[in-house]
Amino acid sequence: MAIPFVSEAGKFKGKIGFSNVESEMSGEKLRVCSDICLDSLKLGANDQFLITPVVEDAQGNVAALPSVLVNGRNMHYVWRRGSLGKGFAAGRDIIKEIKRENGKRQALSYDATTGFRRWMLDPSAQLRMVIDTCGCGHAYGKSAGVPVPLDLNPAPRMRVVYMTPEVTELPVSIHEGKARVQFEVDKTELHAEPYVCRNGQRIDNRGQLEVIEDSIRYALSDPNVEIAKIRICGYASPESPYLHNEYLATNRSRSLAEYIAERHHLPSDRCEYDAVPENWGEFRETVLAAKDITDSQRADLLELIDRPAYGPADYDAKERELKTSPKFANLYRTKILPEWFPRLRATKFEIRTRLKPMDDQHLAEVMAKTPEKMSLNQMFRVARLYPEGSQEFNKAIETALRYYPDDSVANLNVAVAAIKSGNIEKAEELLKKAGDSMEAENARGVVATYKGDFEQAARHFAKSQNLPEATKNRSMLNI
């Protein structure tokens, strides 16, 4: 420190000036130096006072250094004769005594030490000069000037670094639905317009295709999003051989996927298709929900459905038993085949949307309304629109942490902001989930420095030695 300050000297006339005030660690000692100017002070011959440097912190820790005794003419001689007795200065740690020569320029240099305490490394630790005019001790004396930071801890001067998150896949919103698109028997061609088959069957898929179209329109109702992927999965009933059903379900799904891709001008890789050759799962749900079968029929059907199947032959055996077993044959003809199986021939679809490519200013608008659509990298791009430490910057990185609470970079960036604002406890907690990057180790080193654990800080800085800021921070420890 080298901060001059001046104060009135209580009931005495004039001022006492302090300049070139410095403090430093010297081994296990705290050393304090200052130039003290008494030029304008007028002190009565029978008056005296003590100047005592006092170190204290926000938690109430206090340490007083040796005092300087300033005497008027008569009190100076009393002091010299050693006859002060049990009076003003008795039992006090006085490093120097001086007689005030009123009307003359007069200065002295203060240089003393006291035992170093770890709390002195706290950023709140400060030094104040106390003028004790009544002999009551420094606790009741008057401070001369504004206290100055002790500034032994280099942590406030250390640098911490934000990290830019990696560019990753954008979050997607998923919209699911089901449609019962019809196909001609043993055919895979999709008929989008009303169609009459050779056997007289009339197919009209307009309503079911509109179900899919409505879902796509709803998914794209936000003008900031685009289709990331549409997934089509066709389901066939257990009727007919398994391999034949697999062929039909797969190619019918492909026909529908190609129709949607062409209609919405989507690249082929954005419209995927898959198939479930035999929809035994929904068949089971139908059996469980049926109210017009007996408990015995339900139990028998569930036993058949749940029987393990390891390949097409096993599934075909199940279907054959449904058709021919006395337990199921009548039910198969009257209900399962005509009523239940047609419901199993369905198409499930999944529409995934994501944000369109856009500039950072536009992303800031999205972040204000629908941040859940953004990636962590996009959120940090928005934060970078504002000065570091600003309310807008901090709000952006806090939002990023809220949506990505387990991401190491999100935790690190909020920890860095906490360090910059002096919230060391918050930073320490966040750094538990900040990973082992050089930036995170550097931040941990700064936190350890704030806490006065220089050895631990040095170990953290060593782990991030390739980071220029960490190298600089390590040099400030002087260990």
Side-chain angles (χ1 to χ4, degrees):
M1 298 177 293
I3 306 174
F5 53 96
V6 177
S7 176
E8 298 291 339
K11 62 183 180 180
F12 308 119
K13 295 180 179 179
K15 297 181 178 181
I16 303 172
F18 300 89
S19 61
N20 300 321
V21 182
E22 297 180 354
S23 59
E24 63 178 4
M25 288 177 60
S26 179
E28 294 300 316
K29 298 289 186 178
L30 169 68
R31 180 185 179 194
V32 173
C33 304
S34 176
D35 292 331
I36 304 174
C37 178
L38 307 175
D39 291 355
S40 66
L41 179 68
K42 185 174 182 180
L43 187 63
N46 295 320
D47 293 324
Q48 61 183 180
F49 62 88
L50 289 166
I51 301 173
T52 307
V54 175
V55 180
E56 57 195 3
D57 71 358
Q59 287 71 46
N61 296 302
V62 178
L65 279 87
S67 303
V68 171
L69 175 61
V70 181
N71 283 318
R73 180 177 179 279
N74 294 340
M75 296 307 294
H76 169 68
Y77 292 115
V78 171
W79 172 264
R80 291 285 297 274
R81 292 195 298 269
S83 57
L84 199 58
K86 297 181 180 180
F88 183 84
R92 300 186 182 279
D93 185 7
I94 297 175
I95 193 174
K96 182 180 294 188
E97 184 271 347
I98 187 171
K99 182 181 75 155
R100 172 62 184 130
E101 302 288 353
N102 290 334
K104 295 183 179 179
R105 297 175 65 85
Q106 193 173 14
L108 65 145
S109 295
Y110 180 89
D111 190 337
T113 62
T114 187
F116 170 75
R117 286 87 158 174
R118 185 171 291 275
W119 61 261
M120 293 177 178
L121 293 173
D122 191 283
S124 69
Q126 60 183 13
L127 173 69
R128 63 187 178 96
M129 296 295 189
V130 176
I131 309 299
D132 179 8
T133 59
C134 65
C136 302
H138 66 267
Y140 300 97
K142 179 180 179 181
S143 293
V146 178
V148 292
L150 198 60
D151 204 22
L152 294 181
N153 194 322
R157 299 189 300 277
M158 289 181 171
R159 293 190 63 190
V160 283
V161 187
Y162 293 101
M163 279 188 73
T164 300
E166 294 182 358
V167 177
T168 58
E169 291 286 339
L170 292 176
V172 295
S173 298
I174 300 176
H175 309 266
E176 296 179 318
K178 180 191 287 187
R180 299 190 183 280
V181 179
Q182 290 182 300
F183 289 86
E184 189 175 0
V185 176
D186 276 347
K187 302 292 183 182
T188 61
E189 180 185 359
L190 174 68
H191 296 291
E193 298 298 329
Y195 178 80
V196 179
C197 307
R198 285 179 296 179
N199 63 1
Q201 177 191 7
R202 188 175 187 275
I203 293 177
D204 189 351
N205 283 320
R206 290 176 297 180
Q208 295 303 307
L209 292 176
E210 188 62 23
V211 170
I212 301 175
E213 291 295 327
D214 284 345
S215 297
I216 293 175
R217 281 192 290 269
Y218 177 77
L220 295 177
S221 59
D222 183 345
N224 291 319
V225 305
E226 64 180 6
I227 293 175
K229 189 85 67 178
I230 294 181
R231 291 177 175 171
I232 302 294
C233 186
Y235 291 76
S237 67
E239 181 186 4
S240 299
Y242 183 93
L243 292 178
H244 183 64
N245 286 335
E246 183 176 45
Y247 167 81
L248 290 176
T250 300
N251 286 282
R252 286 171 176 176
S253 295
R254 181 176 63 186
S255 295
L256 181 56
E258 290 174 349
Y259 168 81
I260 293 173
E262 181 179 358
R263 183 171 176 80
H264 292 277
H265 309 289
L266 296 175
S268 58
D269 62 347
R270 288 202 195 176
C271 207
E272 298 178 348
Y273 63 91
D274 197 0
V276 175
E278 295 187 354
N279 194 357
W280 288 94
E282 199 166 346
F283 183 24
R284 190 181 198 283
E285 294 174 5
T286 302
V287 171
L288 285 171
K291 297 181 179 180
D292 50 357
I293 60 174
T294 66
D295 289 342
S296 176
Q297 288 174 318
R298 193 188 325 275
D300 289 339
L301 284 169
L302 291 176
E303 188 278 330
L304 173 68
I305 292 170
D306 293 340
R307 186 185 304 162
Y310 303 101
D314 295 330
Y315 287 109
D316 290 344
K318 286 186 179 186
E319 187 215 353
R320 188 163 51 252
E321 187 171 343
L322 276 174
K323 290 180 179 179
T324 61
S325 171
K327 292 189 293 185
F328 307 121
N330 183 60
L331 186 63
Y332 182 83
R333 290 192 304 271
T334 60
K335 184 171 294 291
I336 295 176
L337 184 62
E339 295 182 21
W340 292 357
F341 274 8
R343 300 175 194 168
L344 307 184
R345 302 164 195 153
T347 300
K348 293 183 179 179
F349 57 88
E350 179 185 277
I351 304 163
R352 295 184 170 226
T353 59
R354 66 187 176 201
L355 281 180
K356 296 176 181 176
M358 59 185 69
D359 60 35
D360 294 351
Q361 291 290 349
H362 198 176
L363 282 175
E365 298 175 11
V366 173
M367 194 167 187
K369 298 178 181 178
T370 54
E372 68 277 3
K373 297 181 184 294
M374 299 174 63
S375 70
L376 185 60
N377 177 271
Q378 288 175 321
M379 291 181 175
F380 194 69
R381 283 165 53 190
V382 171
R384 285 295 193 195
L385 292 172
Y386 312 105
E388 289 185 6
S390 66
Q391 183 178 354
E392 295 83 358
F393 179 91
N394 289 342
K395 181 180 178 181
I397 61 175
E398 289 278 3
T399 298
L401 180 61
R402 187 164 68 251
Y403 283 92
Y404 295 89
D406 297 320
D407 186 89
S408 60
V409 176
N411 279 274
L412 170 64
N413 285 340
V414 179
V416 168
I419 291 172
K420 287 177 174 286
S421 65
N423 193 339
I424 305 306
E425 289 185 2
K426 178 180 179 181
E428 187 173 23
E429 188 64 26
L430 289 164
L431 287 171
K432 292 177 181 178
K433 298 173 66 176
D436 56 1
S437 65
M438 291 188 297
E439 291 82 357
E441 289 296 339
N442 177 63
R444 292 187 182 101
V446 174
V447 167
T449 305
Y450 266 108
K451 297 175 70 175
D453 192 343
F454 285 14
E455 290 79 11
Q456 180 67 21
R459 287 192 287 271
H460 285 302
F461 291 140
K463 292 180 181 179
S464 52
Q465 58 186 346
N466 293 328
L467 193 71
E469 290 81 1
T471 302
K472 180 67 174 177
N473 292 343
R474 172 68 177 81
S475 69
M476 295 183 191
L477 294 176
N478 292 322
I479 60 173

